[in-house]
Amino acid sequence: RKEVEQDPGPFNVPEGATVAFNCTYSNSASQSFFWYRQDCRKEPKLLMSVYSSGNEDGRFTAQLNRASQYISLLIRDSKLSDSATYLCVVNAKDFNKFYFGSGTKLNVKP
Amino acid sequence: DTEVTQTPKHLVMGMTNKKSLKCEQHMGHRAMYWYKQKAKKPPELMFVYSYEKLSINESVPSRFSPECPNSSLLNLHLHALQPEDSALYLCASSQEGANYGYTFGSGTRLTVV
């Protein structure tokens, strides 16, 4: 079983739509969770950390469900510029090691 | 300075060549990483340096040789690579500990011919 699993998509949504991605992780001892965004042929960039109580940054909301071992990312009022691959990242038992999900591709259409 | 700088941005090398990738950060991060990313795949961890010491080697072939000369620099020496080693090589750094995400460099796009 993979350490981190994501639906690869693609998710094709119209501008203004709300879209949600989930990511499941296998190690119940994981402590740190992140969402990264990667544009085509660019490096991944940290979008937001995911905190136990859930957190919001503008149109983006991240949630953590420890009992079910998943994290989610909600994007409201999608913009064309949100089109990218979204990677969830979870730390391993060794805190300097992180596992990447395979990424979920989002296409926002006009 | 909140950047991780990688050079070169592009590299084409023959299978008998020796080359080096360089990575530099001045954020005071004590953990530095090399990742390899193939097209449409997530980054795969290769090496982790913590406080300038190699702490994780993900069973990477010896034709890849990392080096951490000081806390700001990380090199990846390449020798006798194969065409399947062509990929985007990403350097990252982070503060020590579980609660901090990575900052990635823009990567070196390597083509082995």
Side-chain angles (χ1 to χ4, degrees):
Chain A
R1 183 184 172 187
K2 288 184 181 178
E3 296 286 340
V4 182
E5 301 213 46
Q6 283 184 258
D7 182 341
F11 284 55
N12 298 308
V13 303
E15 269 186 292
T18 295
V19 62
F21 311 134
N22 283 339
C23 170
T24 58
Y25 60 95
S26 60
N27 185 353
S28 59
S30 297
Q31 292 189 14
S32 301
F33 310 88
F34 307 92
W35 284 102
Y36 277 75
R37 170 197 169 124
Q38 186 169 26
D39 293 287
C40 188
R41 300 182 71 80
K42 298 283 190 180
E43 76 276 19
K45 292 191 175 175
L46 180 63
L47 180 66
M48 57 198 302
S49 302
V50 185
Y51 302 120
S52 297
S53 54
N55 47 299
E56 189 173 305
D57 183 2
R59 299 181 293 109
F60 298 85
T61 300
Q63 298 267 344
L64 167 63
N65 185 320
R66 286 192 184 274
S68 301
Q69 292 182 211
Y70 77 84
I71 64 173
S72 63
L73 178 68
L74 181 78
I75 306 175
R76 290 181 298 279
D77 189 22
S78 299
K79 311 291 185 191
L80 295 176
S81 57
D82 293 334
S83 297
T85 296
Y86 290 83
L87 297 154
C88 73
V89 180
V90 177
N91 81 288
K93 184 179 177 183
D94 182 325
F95 292 150
N96 276 337
K97 183 173 177 178
F98 291 82
Y99 292 107
F100 281 77
S102 56
T104 298
K105 188 166 174 56
L106 172 65
N107 296 315
V108 181
K109 309 286 189 180
Chain B
D1 187 350
T2 58
E3 287 189 344
V4 176
T5 303
Q6 285 187 248
T7 56
K9 292 194 181 306
H10 300 274
L11 178 62
V12 179
M13 61 185 289
M15 290 188 283
T16 59
N17 291 162
K18 284 185 181 181
K19 297 286 184 183
S20 296
L21 309 185
K22 297 187 184 300
C23 174
E24 188 168 3
Q25 58 88 14
H26 295 287
M27 295 179 280
H29 290 174
R30 303 314 297 264
M32 296 185 75
Y33 311 78
W34 281 114
Y35 276 85
K36 171 182 176 180
Q37 188 174 26
K38 303 281 271 184
K40 299 187 188 300
K41 298 286 187 184
E44 296 174 22
L45 182 64
M46 301 175 73
F47 302 104
V48 180
Y49 273 83
S50 178
Y51 289 89
E52 302 163 47
K53 294 194 186 311
L54 182 65
S55 61
I56 296 176
N57 176 341
E58 290 286 277
S59 302
V60 179
S62 59
R63 57 186 184 268
F64 295 92
S65 174
E67 178 197 17
C68 189
N70 60 55
S71 60
S72 300
L73 294 175
L74 186 65
N75 298 324
L76 186 63
H77 303 298
L78 314 172
H79 173 54
L81 295 194
Q82 303 297 310
E84 59 265 28
D85 295 322
S86 298
L88 178 67
Y89 287 84
L90 293 160
C91 173
S93 70
S94 71
Q95 295 188 48
E96 190 72 9
N99 295 325
Y100 305 99
Y102 296 150
T103 300
F104 280 93
S106 56
T108 294
R109 194 161 296 281
L110 174 68
T111 304
V112 182
V113 298

